[in-house]
Structures are given as C-alpha cells and as structure tokens.
Amino acid sequence: MNKRVKTLRRAAVTLTAALAISVGAGASAFAAQPGEDAEWHYQYDHGERVESRGGMTEAHDANGNLVQAWRGYSDNAIYVAANNGAIYRWPANADGGAATTYATPQIVATDYGFRVYHTGTDGRIYYAGLSINAGQVGLLGGWRTVPGVITRNNMAPAVTAMPRGESVYLAYHGATSDQIYGAFFNGFGDDRYNTGWQAPRAIPGVFSSSTPSIAYNNSWNHLVLTWAGTDLQVNYSTQLYGSAYWSTPRQIAGVSTQNSPTVALTDNGAGQIAVTPWVNNGGVWGTDGGGQIITIRSDGNQPAGVRLDGGWTTVTGAPDPDVHGGELEPDTLHLVNHGVTLVMLGVVWSDAVNVWKGSGRF
C-alpha cells in the first residue's frame, strides 16, 4: 500500500466563526484527540502520511480512543489505525486476503466497542468489530452481512450509533433506484445477531443520486438524515428515537451539491451540515473546491425538534506545502462528533489521486 496520505485541517481564518458552535469546549478539549489542532494538516498514522482512494472516517469512544478507517489508495483494502498508531489491513473471512471495497468504510463507537461498516464489491453491506489493546488496534473481528440490504457497490452506507449495546441505524442508497432506505439494528442482548436487524424500509420522500449522511446523539434524542436530492438540492429529515416515522423532508434553500452532504451533532444540542457546493463558474457548472457549513440546533418549539441557525459559512482551503503559492481545498467533507466539538475531515483530489485532508475544529 502506498501510505503517502495527505490530510489537512481547516484553516485558522475560519476558526473564529466555528468556535461559536463548540459550546463550552476549550482548546484543551480539542487537543485531547491525538494529532489534531485548529488548522489543516497532513494525516499521519504510525509516522507515515496516509493516502486513501475515497476518504477516511473516524470515531472516538468514552475512554478517549480515536480509531480511523479508510479505503486503501492502491488496493481498495480496508485499513484501520487507533490513536494515530500502527496501521492494520482488515482481512477477509475466507481466504485470508484483504477485505475490499470501492467506497469509504464507516466507523462508529458503540457501547460494545468500535464497529466498521463497508460496502462489499458485491454491493452487500458488511460489518465487524475491533478491540483496542494498550491504545492500539487489537483483535479484528469477522465480517457479518446486514440481512436484506444491497446497494450499489461504489456507494458507502451511512451509519450512526444508537443507545444500548451496539445498536445502530443504517441508511443506504438503493441498488436499482435512487430511493434511500433505512434499517435499525437492536444490538443489545445475547441474541442480537439472530434477531437484531429489522427489515429495511424505504424512507418516504427521500431520493438521491448519492449517498446520505446520518447522525444521532442522546441529548437531541433525534436522528438527523441529510442528502442531496436528484435535483442536487440539500435536504434533511428527522426522526424521534423510538418513533417509526420520519419528518416530511425539508429543503435547505440556497445550496446544491453533486457530492454527499455530511451531518454531525454535538453532545450539547448543536450540530452542522456541510457540503461541497455545486456552483456556476462563468457559465460552467462544477464542484466548488471549498465547502460550506450551516448550523443546526435542537429546538423543541420547531417541527421535528431541529432548527437551522443562520446562513452558510464558507470553508476555506490551506496553503499546499508541496506547491509554492498553491492551495488545497477539500472536494468532499466528513463531519465527526468529538463530544462538544465537531471535527471536519476533507478529501482533496490532486492529479486523480484522492488526497486525505484531516480535521478542523468547529
């Protein structure tokens, strides 16, 4: 594997506006995560710059462990690292070779430990657990298939941890249509692998040409789903935990994207949706090299308990240390909850190489 991965963190010039979202979070809370600060940087794991074809996701647990998962640049294998330490390639179950994917793997931290979800080359969605031993990746579990779920083999699932055990909610793009589906996994109890998965259901009114993004936390008690419609407009819908119903989809005016938007919620009633916008540049439509964010906050007086707060804020790039006078700007974005702080992960394309640009603070 070519491990030369670039990661950058959001430029300090945009930090001031973002700090308003990290209610009660000081610099020490952010710096507690290994290798992260307020500016864009290359991503290093085990002392090497990491290169990925498709991007990276990360999650942290209550013990302060940070685990990252990504798709390999040269081999489509699934790689993981804990606390910026040693890099491990996840094996397949049968032949001892590597598990492979054409989409970014997703990682969540549950009450029972970390779980990685990925789309197989056959379009089925697989999941497995990993343990942490002395701050590094320990045992890598065997892959299980999510029953009754199939998607396009180049589209990642959207996964968020739910209360109790290793419960999650999974959202994914249909295999033969633009319908977005959802499935809940009741991951509590000894029989969870036999009866835990509920049958997938179409989420009413939710259609997209790309993958959705989903987030949940206990203080909100809501799931928030966001996606780009087939008209490229960004939308969101919410579901109260324990309810079987999603709110009527609501369009967020003013921003469109051909990529997947991303959403994350803090533990204290704030969150964000971020996109790389689709813009008209001199009569030519294309993806803006930067990105935009909008704040969402819990509000029991509004429908679905969520309100949008203010307009879109631009996410800037950062100087490219390899190119004199050049600038790197993220093409795709991924938001991660770190308690009362949100972290932004961005992917930058450079000469047809997916270059990973690491975390920035909100």
Side-chain angles (χ1 to χ4, degrees):
M1 178 188 70
N2 182 351
K3 297 176 184 174
R4 182 187 169 279
V5 171
K6 288 183 177 180
T7 67
L8 63 81
R9 308 185 188 279
R10 200 149 67 97
V13 66
T14 63
L15 179 62
T16 303
L19 286 176
I21 301 160
S22 300
V23 180
S28 59
F30 184 80
Q33 296 303 329
E36 296 178 346
D37 59 33
E39 298 184 0
W40 294 100
H41 291 286
Y42 290 110
Q43 176 66 41
Y44 282 87
D45 283 323
H46 205 233
E48 299 183 70
R49 282 180 11 191
V50 183
E51 189 169 76
S52 167
R53 186 182 297 276
M56 175 185 283
T57 55
E58 67 181 36
H60 69 97
D61 65 11
N63 297 318
N65 293 301
L66 175 72
V67 178
Q68 296 167 320
W70 66 93
R71 173 189 172 197
Y73 166 65
S74 60
D75 57 6
N76 293 322
I78 297 169
Y79 291 87
V80 291
N83 303 314
N84 301 113
I87 298 170
Y88 293 85
R89 187 177 71 169
W90 211 304
N93 284 342
D95 58 8
T100 55
T101 185
Y102 302 141
T104 303
Q106 308 294 305
I107 186 165
V108 293
T110 74
D111 293 343
Y112 290 171
F114 291 96
R115 301 291 183 265
V116 172
Y117 284 72
H118 82 276
T119 301
T121 55
D122 59 0
R124 300 184 184 278
I125 295 176
Y126 297 84
Y127 66 105
L130 67 86
S131 63
I132 301 296
N133 183 15
Q136 298 299 300
V137 172
L139 179 67
L140 298 176
W143 295 104
R144 298 176 179 270
T145 306
V146 180
V149 169
I150 189 167
T151 184
R152 298 177 187 176
N153 68 359
N154 63 344
M155 289 192 168
V159 189
T160 187
M162 302 290 287
R164 292 169 59 86
E166 59 179 298
S167 299
V168 301
Y169 191 91
L170 171 75
Y172 64 97
H173 191 284
T176 58
S177 73
D178 286 331
Q179 175 71 59
I180 301 299
Y181 295 85
F184 174 70
F185 177 57
N186 181 9
F188 184 76
D190 294 336
D191 201 37
R192 58 188 182 277
Y193 296 126
N194 296 320
T195 61
W197 282 104
Q198 296 181 358
R201 297 181 180 181
I203 301 177
V206 180
F207 297 88
S208 178
S209 301
S210 58
T211 57
S213 178
I214 194 164
Y216 173 85
N217 67 46
N218 291 324
S219 66
W220 285 52
N221 209 34
H222 275 82
L223 286 159
V224 177
L225 178 76
T226 185
W227 69 97
T230 54
D231 60 358
L232 308 184
Q233 301 299 305
V234 178
N235 300 263
Y236 76 98
S237 179
T238 65
Q239 183 183 100
L240 179 67
Y241 178 59
S243 170
Y245 302 100
W246 286 92
S247 67
T248 301
R250 302 177 70 181
Q251 188 176 103
I252 303 174
V255 173
S256 59
T257 184
Q258 279 206 330
N259 295 325
S260 301
T262 177
V263 61
L265 309 175
T266 66
D267 291 346
N268 57 2
Q272 286 190 329
I273 294 172
V275 302
T276 51
W278 186 243
V279 297
N280 187 335
N281 186 5
V284 178
W285 285 91
T287 300
D288 187 357
Q292 292 184 323
I293 54 174
I294 194 167
T295 308
I296 52 180
R297 295 185 184 277
S298 58
D299 187 343
N301 296 321
Q302 295 293 324
V306 173
R307 77 169 190 267
L308 300 179
D309 185 24
W312 292 92
T313 301
T314 300
V315 177
T316 66
D320 183 352
D322 294 337
V323 180
H324 179 69
E327 185 176 82
L328 294 172
E329 294 182 323
D331 294 296
T332 60
L333 304 174
H334 182 71
L335 292 173
V336 183
N337 170 29
H338 282 251
V340 294
T341 302
L342 295 183
V343 170
M344 174 177 284
L345 305 172
V347 179
V348 173
W349 291 82
S350 175
D351 298 328
V353 175
N354 214 8
V355 183
W356 185 238
K357 300 295 172 185
S359 310
R361 179 180 177 175
F362 284 78

